[in-house]
């Protein structure tokens, strides 16, 4: 099977780009993510494929570093732009065009930060999607997608399922099955990252419940998905890795709850993965200061 993907490197790069949504350079993770997305919505599935292909193709045409393209680094922000637009809006011709253009632009912005050696994670996706959502809301009359208005049926297992739902909401999927598939997708690539992410999702749900956040949205995983990503970034087998995971997750949850409670980013579609990016940046800064003080001491 590996030989098959070697014969079609463009497809391999797309799949790895989708896997990199949760920082996994793994084509099988990407395939499972795709399955989970298509189970939730065929429009989101097609959008992810198109936007990731647009980002990867742009990187190839602009002759960016081949090893970075092969690792999927120009696909994940592009993938999230695509799925976000398909999730938030009815998929008109304009939305499909913006999915392609947004994917291409995400690759260009990602490349700028890679060259500057700045770890921006999903920041290109956030900026592009905020701008597009704001413009679409103010200058078009495209209706929201049916997924936004679909009711979530509560079950007796909601407390248990909230932990994997946090994985699902990273890629805008609220289905229980999608969340479980996404967890498995990360687990086959990195068991330690998946387990740290699971713990972070539980912690995010628990702390947000103590903070009085809406229980329905907690069960959907909306207060856990940013914590999942922060945990994955710092996951590792060392004892100190666990400490950095905890610090990053607590900071991310605090930022997430603060922004949502104050409706800070409602006009641009929501917080998306900004709490993850901000929480990770702050933790990396703390880590740098700590390590510098330790070496000087």
């Amino acid at each position: 099977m590996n030989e098959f993907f070697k014969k079609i490197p463009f497809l391999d790069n797309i799949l790895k780009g989708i896997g990199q949504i949760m920082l996994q350079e793994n084509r099988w993770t990407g395939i499972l993510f795709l399955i989970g997305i298509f189970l939730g919505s065929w429009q989101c599935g097609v959008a992810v494929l198109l936007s990731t292909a647009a980002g990867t193709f742009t990187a190839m045409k602009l002759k960016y570093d081949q090893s970075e393209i092969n690792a999927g680094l120009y696909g994940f922000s592009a993938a999230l732009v695509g799925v976000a637009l398909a999730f938030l809006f009815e998929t008109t011709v304009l939305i499909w065009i913006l999915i392609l253009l947004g994917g291409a632009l995400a690759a260009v912005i990602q490349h700028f930060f890679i060259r500057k050696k700045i770890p921006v994670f999903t920041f290109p996706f956030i900026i592009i999607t905020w701008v597009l959502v704001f413009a679409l809301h103010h200058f078009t009359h495209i209706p929201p997608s049916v997924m936004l208005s679909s009711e979530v049926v509560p079950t007796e297992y909601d407390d248990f399922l909230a932990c994997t739902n946090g994985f699902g909401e990273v890629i805008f999927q609220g289905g229980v099955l999608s969340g479980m598939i996404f967890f498995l997708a990360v687990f086959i690539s990195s068991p330690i990252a998946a387990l740290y992410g699971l713990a972070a999702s539980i912690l995010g749900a628990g702390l947000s419940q103590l903070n009085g956040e809406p229980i329905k949205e907690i069960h959907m995983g909306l207060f856990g998905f940013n914590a999942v990503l922060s945990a994955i970034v710092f996951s590792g087998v060392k004892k100190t890795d666990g400490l950095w995971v905890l610090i990053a997750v607590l900071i991310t949850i605090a930022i997430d709850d603060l922004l949502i409670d104050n409706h800070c980013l409602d006009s641009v579609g929501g917080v998306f993965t900004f709490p993850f990016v901000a929480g990770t940046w702050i933790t990396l800064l703390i880590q740098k200061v700590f390590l510098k003080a330790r070496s000087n001491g």
Side-chain angles (χ1 to χ4, degrees), residues 153-196:
V153 180
T155 74
E156 59 183 306
Y157 305 108
D158 278 350
D159 284 329
F160 171 73
L161 294 172
C163 54
T164 50
N165 285 350
F167 281 81
E169 288 293 347
V170 171
I171 321 180
F172 296 86
Q173 301 306 305
V176 169
L177 188 55
S178 292
M180 290 180 174
I181 291 172
F182 292 169
F183 168 75
L184 178 63
V186 178
F187 189 87
I188 63 170
S189 175
S190 172
I192 192 71
L195 293 173
Y196 267 127

Side-chain angles (χ1 to χ4, degrees), residues 246-256 275 278-280 282-283 286:
L246 181 61
I247 292 169
V249 167
L250 290 175
I251 294 172
T252 298
I253 293 168
I255 294 171
D256 199 11
T280 302
I282 292 169
T283 306
I286 294 170

Side-chain angles (χ1 to χ4, degrees), residues 188-233:
I188 63 170
S189 175
S190 172
I192 192 71
L195 293 173
Y196 267 127
L198 193 67
S201 185
I202 295 168
L203 187 60
L207 290 179
S208 295
Q209 190 165 345
L210 287 175
N211 195 39
E213 306 299 345
I215 194 69
K216 178 181 170 184
E217 293 179 10
I218 291 171
H219 284 157
M220 289 171 64
L222 293 175
F223 289 92
F225 72 92
N226 276 292
V228 168
L229 290 171
S230 293
I232 290 173
V233 168

Side-chain angles (χ1 to χ4, degrees), residues 62-83:
L62 294 177
K63 300 189 185 307
Y64 294 163
D65 186 276
Q66 190 60 48
S67 64
E68 294 168 355
I69 296 172
N70 293 344
L73 297 184
Y74 296 105
F76 64 93
S77 275
L80 286 169
V81 171
V83 73

Side-chain angles (χ1 to χ4, degrees), residues 86 105 108 126 142 144 192 240 245 274:
L105 182 57
V108 174
I126 297 165
I142 298 173
I192 192 71
T240 51
V245 166
F274 181 72

Side-chain angles (χ1 to χ4, degrees), residues 22-214:
M22 297 196 205
L23 294 95
Q24 305 304 307
E25 186 188 332
N26 189 305
R27 65 178 68 95
W28 300 107
T29 299
I31 289 171
L32 285 173
F33 282 172
L34 265 180
I35 291 170
I37 295 165
F38 269 104
L39 282 173
S41 159
W42 71 264
Q43 292 97 329
C44 285
V46 173
V48 164
L49 281 172
L50 288 177
S51 57
T52 311
T56 305
F57 182 76
T58 300
M60 291 168 62
K61 285 300 174 184
L62 294 177
K63 300 189 185 307
Y64 294 163
D65 186 276
Q66 190 60 48
S67 64
E68 294 168 355
I69 296 172
N70 293 344
L73 297 184
Y74 296 105
F76 64 93
S77 275
L80 286 169
V81 171
V83 73
L85 291 177
F87 176 80
L88 294 170
F89 297 96
E90 184 180 300
T91 45
T92 62
V93 173
L94 177 59
I95 293 299
W96 287 118
I97 291 170
L98 290 176
I99 283 168
L100 289 168
L101 293 177
L105 182 57
V108 174
I109 297 174
Q110 200 87 41
H111 179 257
F112 170 80
F113 286 111
I114 288 174
R115 292 283 72 79
K116 298 290 183 182
K117 293 182 168 51
I118 300 172
V120 290
F121 304 106
T122 57
F123 194 60
F125 145 67
I126 297 165
I127 292 298
I128 292 167
T129 309
W130 276 347
V131 170
L132 289 177
V133 169
F134 182 84
L136 287 165
H137 279 159
H138 285 78
F139 303 110
T140 75
H141 299 287
I142 298 173
S145 75
V146 294
M147 286 175 281
L148 279 180
S149 57
S150 59
E151 276 294 317
V152 178
V153 180
T155 74
E156 59 183 306
Y157 305 108
D158 278 350
D159 284 329
F160 171 73
L161 294 172
C163 54
T164 50
N165 285 350
F167 281 81
E169 288 293 347
V170 171
I171 321 180
F172 296 86
Q173 301 306 305
V176 169
L177 188 55
S178 292
M180 290 180 174
I181 291 172
F182 292 169
F183 168 75
L184 178 63
V186 178
F187 189 87
I188 63 170
S189 175
S190 172
I192 192 71
L195 293 173
Y196 267 127
L198 193 67
S201 185
I202 295 168
L203 187 60
L207 290 179
S208 295
Q209 190 165 345
L210 287 175
N211 195 39
E213 306 299 345

